[in-house]
Amino acid sequence: MKSDKNPLSNAAASVDRGAWTDTDTVWPIETWLFNRFMQLIGEPAISVVFWDDREHYRCPHTIPVARMRFADRSTFWRLFANPNLEFGDGYSAGRIRIEGDLVTFIEALYEAKIRRTRPGILQQFVKRGLARPRRNSLAGSRDNIQHHYDLGNDFYRLWLDEEMAYTCAYFTDPSVTLEKAQAAKLDHIARKLQLRPGEEVVEAGCGWGGLARHFARWYGVKVRAYNISPSQIAYARERAKAERLDDRIEYIEDDYRTIQGTYDAFVSVGMLEHVGAEHYATLGQVVDRVLKDNGRGLIHSIGQIRPEPPSAWNEQRIFPGANPPTLRRMMDIFEGPGLSVLDVENIRLHYAKTIEHWLARYEAHEAGVRDMFDDFFVRAWRLYLAASIASFRAGALELYQVVFARPGKNDMAWTRAHLYRD
Amino acid sequence: MKSDKNPLSNAAASVDRGAWTDTDTVWPIETWLFNRFMQLIGEPAISVVFWDDREHYRCPHTIPVARMRFADRSTFWRLFANPNLEFGDGYSAGRIRIEGDLVTFIEALYEAKIRRTRPGILQQFVKRGLARPRRNSLAGSRDNIQHHYDLGNDFYRLWLDEEMAYTCAYFTDPSVTLEKAQAAKLDHIARKLQLRPGEEVVEAGCGWGGLARHFARWYGVKVRAYNISPSQIAYARERAKAERLDDRIEYIEDDYRTIQGTYDAFVSVGMLEHVGAEHYATLGQVVDRVLKDNGRGLIHSIGQIRPEPPSAWNEQRIFPGANPPTLRRMMDIFEGPGLSVLDVENIRLHYAKTIEHWLARYEAHEAGVRDMFDDFFVRAWRLYLAASIASFRAGALELYQVVFARPGKNDMAWTRAHLYRD
């Protein structure tokens, strides 16, 4: 069934469609320019074939891991004009093709970038490709979140697990199933929070509500869960009712800034990426207001080592308003109210593994996605998933779980050994 | 044997010595002012007796946990003039006495401070009592470190463990001995670093050299350890030779900024407190320069939730140049070279427990300390140890262990479970 919610239909229309192979001769200046560009981005381990079907770049240090092809001159020059946006759009439109594994190709780009010690020149060069994320005011957040999360539950159901968890799973062993790893993530968080039966938990940004269901079912706690995506809230309420958990869970369609009440634990999994650094101090005030004296909290978020603006393509096509924080920036949440950080765990490779599962399921349902949307969408989301795997593998993105409590809370577990007991 | 290195002899001489009880009448303005001051610092759960032997302050909310006594009017007004310095000097000179447990008394002060949400007014009031730490240039660091660490190995031997570890131990269980907990700390660090036999480790700030001995003996690695305290280096070299570890350990009397060579692991335990925030970026450059591509590192340091300047008393009498970082500030080390933070563990209660052991041993050797120095020194160091316990218990100080590696280092342990296996 065709979805009426394809947010990429305008983008697809804006990309020219010509014949795949343009027989125009490649000018020497084009080869020279492209090689200069490859030097600037650290000479990634790829080769590049132009529209004359000939190789014009080949990594000088090592055997290329994948090959990129330009359909035509127009795509080539668009890429120069705005590399960050046009690589994604060119790929989505089928004007840029990758031969070999897409994830490995993108990993090669990240590895080249990280090898370069000083990003100065490149930053200047690709500045136009970097975006200022859209603002996450109360109204802006709704627009941004709906662009992504309201693509339809049917779409996400195709490639997420049963519980519709759309955040990093925790693989106690890399070989366990996605379903088990998503449940293990929730157990890991519940253990970090040291939940006790009868306690009250508030969740900021609850997605399709899986954490609340898991905590209510297995830890005997009450959960009040906030989310501004109507379709996610509707789904979450329906499932809680069907599973007779609705006496212990309250899903509220509202912004984290409106949280009322006081709680034993505050938890937020995969929301901070969408909060915007300028609102971290506000989030800290919310936590301070709603946490009981004896309370503790956990924030699980994609992060980065250094502050880098999001790519224009990701910002415009996939995830408006998203901007993963550095650990330094996250301290804006905790320092104001004087909360004590107890534990930070970086599980970025678990996110690479999680998205490998998603991409495999996505590929298996490619036809279904094409039916709902179109070919441009299919390729755009493939690129998004593949690039995400590559980012987490290369360390261009991190995944932080941060546990915190008020200072002087002295009844927490003496060591972290309890997290690892069977 | 009298030590010729008593750094507090001038301070002791500067404090007036009068009769213990001054029979002068207390003026109403003094009672009023003192109660106003107690309100400003959050009404700590103590009572206070003035030189007329009568109680002039009593916490209105709860039963006082300890009582403070002023010897005379002069001590009272000195405290008002410079609370942070004069409390310590007054206590050390015996002009301020605490009845009840000293640690509990100081904890009550910290708890009151933390209860107060806005420190603004108090900060203004006691500003004179807060110090700018001395600068830690290459020469300045030497002076600062020698003030504290070169009090003499004989002094520290009285109350530290066998291996002379002067940093937070790790108690797998609160009831284990200090000796076991200090060894467990080193094992915990070695596991976090995932050391393998034959690897090369560099240590910045090695104290009396215990970590290097432990790693060389039990993990089969080579260690090059830097320290600018001559008496510590001399001790460390002697022990390594006696224990036939000198083929695997090199102790170097020099600053961390001069570290040469490249290593599989970088480790620093209890040095960062003395580095000074303005040098964190430099430390990051050093780490970046000496760490192999596949290397990883660990920094273990006292920390704090919010940036607070050190107390004037601690700065002038005990630990010049010391200033525990916030986690935000620590990111100055990692962000520049783009190092990835993998794990942060806050074990502040382990430091409270460690210093409880030290204080008990110190009290047991009180006579020995008095023989080496004098009564003022005995009380000053008792206050320092007791205040440290109280700080870690109340969460006024934290203890962070931060593990890091270069981005894209994908062969680290998949989870942290290996840290907790027997």
Side-chain angles (χ1 to χ4, degrees), chain A residues 348-406:
Chain A
R348 73 176 162 80
L349 288 175
H350 294 245
Y351 215 166
K353 178 65 68 187
T354 304
I355 310 173
E356 284 169 33
H357 283 276
W358 292 344
L359 182 57
R361 292 170 187 217
Y362 179 87
E363 297 290 14
H365 291 94
E366 184 186 334
V369 178
R370 191 174 292 107
D371 283 351
M372 282 186 199
F373 302 100
D374 57 21
D375 219 43
F376 188 92
F377 185 99
V378 166
R379 279 198 289 258
W381 270 70
R382 175 185 297 131
L383 177 62
Y384 159 61
L385 292 170
S388 299
I389 296 171
S391 303
F392 287 107
R393 276 199 204 149
L397 290 176
E398 319 277 314
L399 195 293
Y400 301 122
Q401 283 189 340
V402 181
V403 182
F404 55 90
R406 295 194 189 279

Side-chain angles (χ1 to χ4, degrees), chain B residues 19-330:
Chain B
W20 166 246
T21 302
D22 189 325
T23 49
D24 279 358
T25 314
V26 171
W27 304 327
I29 181 81
E30 289 169 325
T31 306
W32 181 86
L33 253 180
F34 193 78
N35 275 272
R36 185 84 193 100
F37 179 62
M38 289 291 106
Q39 276 170 16
L40 281 172
I41 68 170
E43 297 183 325
I46 59 170
S47 67
V48 181
V49 172
F50 283 17
W51 52 95
D52 61 354
D53 209 26
R54 292 170 62 178
E55 188 177 279
H56 289 262
Y57 167 79
R58 187 180 187 85
C59 172
H61 309 298
T62 178
I63 298 163
V65 296
R67 184 185 292 138
M68 173 167 124
R69 277 183 182 273
F70 284 109
D72 50 42
R73 170 166 281 139
S74 150
T75 304
F76 174 90
W77 285 102
R78 275 168 177 270
L79 188 74
F80 263 87
N82 194 345
N84 231 309
L85 180 64
E86 294 293 339
F87 177 80
D89 276 358
Y91 177 85
S92 303
R95 317 303 301 161
I96 291 172
R97 287 194 190 162
I98 306 301
E99 291 166 9
D101 182 53
L102 180 58
V103 175
T104 311
F105 170 82
I106 304 168
E107 239 184 310
L109 299 185
Y110 280 121
E111 280 165 5
K113 190 183 169 198
I114 287 168
R115 262 203 316 276
R116 300 178 68 259
T117 39
R118 295 280 162 251
I121 303 167
L122 177 64
Q123 292 283 15
Q124 291 302 316
F125 195 76
V126 301
K127 212 159 66 179
R128 290 189 53 200
L130 299 171
R132 254 188 95 78
R134 295 196 217 170
R135 298 187 63 87
N136 287 297
S137 59
L138 282 166
S141 290
R142 266 176 217 277
D143 291 347
N144 290 337
I145 290 303
Q146 287 171 20
H147 177 100
H148 193 92
Y149 292 107
D150 286 348
L151 284 174
N153 299 340
D154 291 342
F155 168 62
Y156 288 101
R157 199 178 282 130
L158 289 179
W159 50 277
L160 293 178
D161 68 309
E162 278 278 294
E163 297 290 329
M164 302 282 276
Y166 187 32
T167 51
C168 175
Y170 178 73
F171 294 80
T172 50
D173 181 282
S175 65
V176 307
T177 64
L178 178 63
E179 276 70 16
K180 281 203 174 160
Q182 288 293 3
K185 180 254 304 284
L186 299 174
D187 290 331
H188 201 48
I189 291 173
R191 287 176 173 211
K192 285 183 173 180
L193 288 169
Q194 297 183 240
L195 294 182
R196 282 183 295 248
E199 288 193 324
E200 295 180 304
V201 178
V202 67
E203 185 186 12
C206 69
W208 283 280
L211 179 144
R213 291 192 295 277
H214 191 87
F215 280 15
R217 181 178 285 122
W218 300 109
Y219 294 88
V221 294
K222 288 193 168 187
V223 186
R224 187 174 284 167
Y226 286 72
N227 186 344
I228 53 175
S229 163
S231 64
Q232 290 189 322
I233 284 282
Y235 177 96
R237 283 182 183 150
E238 203 174 298
R239 275 197 72 160
K241 202 170 173 182
E243 297 172 25
R244 301 194 181 182
L245 294 166
D246 50 332
D247 58 330
R248 274 170 283 165
I249 304 178
E250 193 181 351
Y251 291 109
I252 297 175
E253 191 194 317
D254 212 338
D255 192 275
Y256 69 92
R257 281 161 281 203
T258 69
I259 295 175
Q260 297 298 318
T262 60
Y263 304 88
D264 302 291
F266 174 97
V267 62
S268 178
V269 178
M271 181 186 80
L272 192 67
E273 299 89 324
H274 312 302
V275 163
E278 69 274 26
H279 300 294
Y280 288 178
T282 305
L283 174 58
Q285 288 161 13
V286 171
V287 171
D288 190 36
R289 193 182 73 222
V290 307
L291 211 56
K292 291 180 188 168
D293 273 356
N294 202 36
R296 56 276 177 205
L298 183 146
I299 292 178
H300 165 122
S301 174
I302 299 171
Q304 42 185 351
I305 294 173
R306 293 196 186 102
E308 310 249 12
S311 91
W313 182 76
N314 193 49
E315 172 68 17
Q316 288 181 40
R317 304 297 181 235
I318 306 292
F319 235 143
N323 202 3
T326 60
L327 271 181
R328 179 196 300 276
R329 267 295 166 81
M330 288 181 78

Side-chain angles (χ1 to χ4, degrees), chain A residues 171 305-306 328 332 335-336 339-344 346 348 350 393 398 409-410 414 416 420, chain B residues 171 305-306 328 332 335-336 339-344 346 348 350 393 398 409-410 414 416 420:
Chain A
F171 295 80
I305 293 173
R306 290 196 187 103
R328 180 197 299 277
D332 288 351
E335 273 190 19
L339 294 163
S340 169
V341 171
L342 302 179
D343 182 8
V344 180
N346 183 342
R348 73 176 162 80
H350 294 245
R393 276 199 204 149
E398 319 277 314
K409 178 163 169 55
N410 290 352
W414 186 256
R416 304 183 302 198
Y420 302 97
Chain B
F171 294 80
I305 294 173
R306 293 196 186 102
R328 179 196 300 276
D332 287 352
E335 273 191 19
L339 294 162
S340 169
V341 171
L342 302 179
D343 182 10
V344 180
N346 183 343
R348 72 176 162 81
H350 293 244
R393 277 199 203 150
E398 318 278 312
K409 178 164 170 55
N410 290 351
W414 186 257
R416 304 184 301 199
Y420 302 96

Side-chain angles (χ1 to χ4, degrees), chain A residues 113-114 119 123 130-131 133 304-311 322-326 396:
Chain A
K113 189 184 169 197
I114 287 168
Q123 291 284 15
L130 299 171
Q304 41 185 353
I305 293 173
R306 290 196 187 103
E308 310 249 12
S311 92
N323 202 3
T326 59

